[in-house]
């Protein structure tokens, strides 16, 4: 987990890309987990959360969940991006940004189970 939290301007830019967010209690309720387990998942990279500077609430992009569970490919993809020195903010921005060469957004490919192409691209990125 990257401890640095986004500024208001950075969060608003990310919010424009992400669109829909969820909270730790909402994830706990939808998955049937206790909320401390959701916190652990944010710590180990299974999920990625940001503190919203407008209200202080930690939020998780809703598209990181599918059928009530974190998408399987997220943790490994975030590890690749972090290994390439991306901050969580940069990594999530990349995941939610349209890429004409795909075409689409990397997050859409991860949700479709096409992690190999996204991780290959993540390994060769120059941020």
């Amino acid at each position: 987990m990257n401890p640095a939290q986004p500024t208001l301007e950075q969060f608003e830019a990310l919010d424009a890309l992400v669109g829909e967010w969820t909270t730790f209690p909402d994830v706990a309720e939808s998955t049937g987990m206790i909320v401390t387990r959701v916190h652990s998942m944010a710590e180990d990279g299974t999920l990625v959360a940001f503190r919203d500077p407008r209200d202080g609430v930690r939020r998780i992009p809703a598209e990181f969940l599918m059928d009530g569970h974190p998408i399987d490919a997220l943790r490994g993809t975030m590890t690749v991006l972090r290994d390439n020195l991306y901050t969580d903010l940069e990594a999530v921005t990349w995941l939610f940004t349209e890429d004409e060469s795909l075409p689409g957004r990397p997050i859409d490919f991860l949700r479709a189970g096409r992690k190999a192409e996204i991780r290959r691209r993540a390994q060769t990125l120059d941020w």
Side-chain angles (χ1 to χ4, degrees), residues 15-127:
D15 186 32
L17 288 172
V18 170
E20 186 180 349
W21 298 86
T22 190
T23 63
F24 284 61
D26 289 341
V27 171
E29 184 177 323
S30 71
T31 60
M33 296 180 203
I34 59 174
V35 75
T36 54
R37 175 67 184 121
V38 179
H39 282 272
S40 295
M41 291 168 43
E43 293 294 323
D44 73 13
T46 302
L47 291 170
V48 182
F50 299 95
R51 190 167 305 279
D52 184 336
R54 299 170 291 199
D55 60 13
V57 174
R58 288 180 71 194
R59 302 191 188 284
I60 300 163
E63 289 189 78
F64 285 170
L65 298 157
M66 250 176 82
D67 302 323
H69 300 284
I71 54 175
D72 291 334
L74 181 62
R75 183 176 181 180
T77 302
M78 285 300 297
T79 298
V80 170
L81 289 164
R82 289 170 176 156
D83 287 350
N84 282 321
L85 304 181
Y86 270 55
T87 65
D88 284 357
L89 180 64
E90 292 167 336
V92 175
T93 297
W94 179 76
L95 286 170
F96 281 85
T97 300
E98 288 283 333
D99 183 338
E100 291 179 14
S101 68
L102 283 173
R105 303 175 308 165
I107 187 65
D108 298 325
F109 276 66
L110 291 182
R111 290 176 58 85
R114 297 174 63 189
K115 68 183 179 187
E117 173 65 12
I118 298 309
R119 289 186 185 167
R120 184 188 64 76
R121 287 172 183 249
Q123 289 174 336
T124 62
L125 289 174
D126 288 330
W127 188 254

